[in-house]
Amino acid sequence: MNYQSVLERIAQDVSPQLGTGRPAEYIPALAAVDPGHFGMAIADVDGKVYGVGDWQRPFSTQSITKVFTLALVLAAGGDDLWEHVGREPSGNPFNSLVQLEYENGIPRNPFINAGALVVTDRLQTLTGDASSELLGFLREESGNPDLAFDQEVADSESAHGDRNAALAHFMASYGNITNPVPTLLDHYFWQCAIEMSCADLALAARFLARHGLRADGSRLLTRSEAKQINAVMLTCGTYDAAGEFAHRVGLPGKSGVGGGIVAVVPGRCTLCVWSPGLDERGNSVAGVAALDRFTTLTGLSVF
């Protein structure tokens, strides 16, 4: 398949939507990003990368990193993680407090903020330095040793992180957080502040298309664990719009409020698209449209 020509067609088709939506205004460092940016990359299972637009321009990964943190915890033998976080769609905003009280401090899934805090807490316990462990993994899988945290974004997240602090303290009151909350929040904010390009993310996520195999051919996850992550991405990866995303795109995907979305075609390739203009649910307007066009033009989906 000629992925390059597909990408060029997609860029042309979605160009009228560039600049629509609004960047994440509640994080000042993200609010200043031009919503007219657009980049998209595809990495096949052998590591060949195709791209269009701003596909090599770094952006704030935000919640996309939750996929990789989850993978690292499962790879470390953390199957009991599922006793502390569910695998069901939330149906509520990604930073909702309401559901936690009804469900005794157990988050619905690992991709809403509360669930991601539980996963990061577990990675901190396993490694002693969750954010550095994650950054090292992403550097290795992307092949880019220059990946780094964005200090401005991390500081911005921390200064406006009261809701995440409330989520963490609430879960700690139920015994579902084991590390000190300030330590956990530091690592969580650093995790969300990693900058990567579409090319970096498409390459880093290839283990999900390779049924758990890392870039060097070693096994990170069992086939079953890779399937589990892809399944949760499909049902929970785009906040409370996951059903619509599955309907339109038909691929496991994980979005972030930096405007990026990673998607997986098991056995074939991984994709990353970036455009900072978000819809009301926190997903990139042009990004979702681009992935919709990809599955339409190629016929590739999990259905």
Side-chain angles (χ1 to χ4, degrees), residues 188-227:
Y188 181 73
F189 294 144
W190 281 115
Q191 166 188 323
C192 292
I194 294 173
E195 278 201 326
M196 298 175 72
S197 68
C198 292
D200 294 328
L201 279 163
L203 284 167
R206 276 194 309 143
F207 68 92
L208 292 171
R210 288 160 55 90
H211 307 297
L213 292 181
R214 295 187 62 167
D216 64 4
S218 64
R219 182 162 290 282
L220 175 71
L221 303 170
T222 66
R223 290 180 69 97
S224 178
E225 288 167 340
K227 180 195 72 174

Side-chain angles (χ1 to χ4, degrees), residues 253-301:
K254 181 70 195 86
S255 61
V257 296
I261 308 174
V262 164
V264 182
V265 184
R268 298 291 293 267
C269 64
T270 48
L271 306 91
C272 180
V273 60
W274 171 57
S275 187
L278 309 179
D279 62 23
E280 66 279 2
R281 291 172 171 174
N283 299 308
S284 170
V285 175
V288 174
L291 292 169
D292 184 359
R293 290 299 294 148
F294 172 81
T295 53
T296 299
L297 291 169
T298 63
L300 295 175
S301 83

Side-chain angles (χ1 to χ4, degrees), residues 44-258:
D44 68 20
V45 289
D46 297 319
K48 187 170 183 179
V49 186
Y50 309 81
V52 70
D54 298 315
W55 66 291
Q56 293 178 304
R57 183 186 181 105
F59 63 90
S60 188
T61 53
Q62 294 294 309
S63 289
I64 295 174
T65 57
K66 296 171 182 177
V67 172
F68 302 100
T69 308
L70 176 60
L72 288 173
V73 170
L74 292 179
D79 284 346
D80 64 336
L81 172 70
W82 301 121
E83 298 174 12
H84 302 274
V85 61
R87 290 166 287 195
E88 296 293 338
S90 68
N92 285 310
F94 58 85
N95 59 357
S96 173
L97 280 158
V98 175
Q99 211 161 38
L100 273 179
E101 185 162 14
Y102 286 120
E103 298 180 352
N104 300 315
I106 305 295
R108 274 289 180 100
N109 66 69
F111 295 149
I112 55 175
N113 288 16
L117 285 163
V118 170
V119 178
T120 300
D121 179 65
R122 179 59 59 88
L123 187 62
Q124 178 66 14
T125 298
L126 290 168
T127 67
D129 191 345
S131 55
S132 294
E133 187 77 12
L134 173 63
L135 182 62
F137 174 78
L138 292 171
R139 285 173 172 172
E140 291 176 6
E141 293 306 293
S142 68
N144 183 355
D146 297 325
L147 295 183
F149 302 109
D150 185 317
Q151 179 77 53
E152 181 186 2
V153 171
D155 289 346
S156 190
E157 296 258 14
S158 180
H160 297 82
D162 291 338
R163 178 67 68 97
N164 286 317
L167 290 167
H169 281 294
F170 189 80
M171 291 186 293
S173 74
Y174 281 93
N176 205 21
I177 295 293
T178 58
N179 290 281
V181 169
T183 300
L184 168 60
L185 291 172
D186 282 346
H187 284 279
Y188 181 73
F189 294 144
W190 281 115
Q191 166 188 323
C192 292
I194 294 173
E195 278 201 326
M196 298 175 72
S197 68
C198 292
D200 294 328
L201 279 163
L203 284 167
R206 276 194 309 143
F207 68 92
L208 292 171
R210 288 160 55 90
H211 307 297
L213 292 181
R214 295 187 62 167
D216 64 4
S218 64
R219 182 162 290 282
L220 175 71
L221 303 170
T222 66
R223 290 180 69 97
S224 178
E225 288 167 340
K227 180 195 72 174
Q228 289 171 12
I229 293 178
N230 280 327
V232 179
M233 287 173 69
L234 179 69
T235 59
C236 308
T238 47
Y239 311 123
D240 52 332
E244 181 180 350
F245 185 83
H247 176 80
R248 286 187 64 183
V249 176
L251 293 174
K254 181 70 195 86
S255 61
V257 296

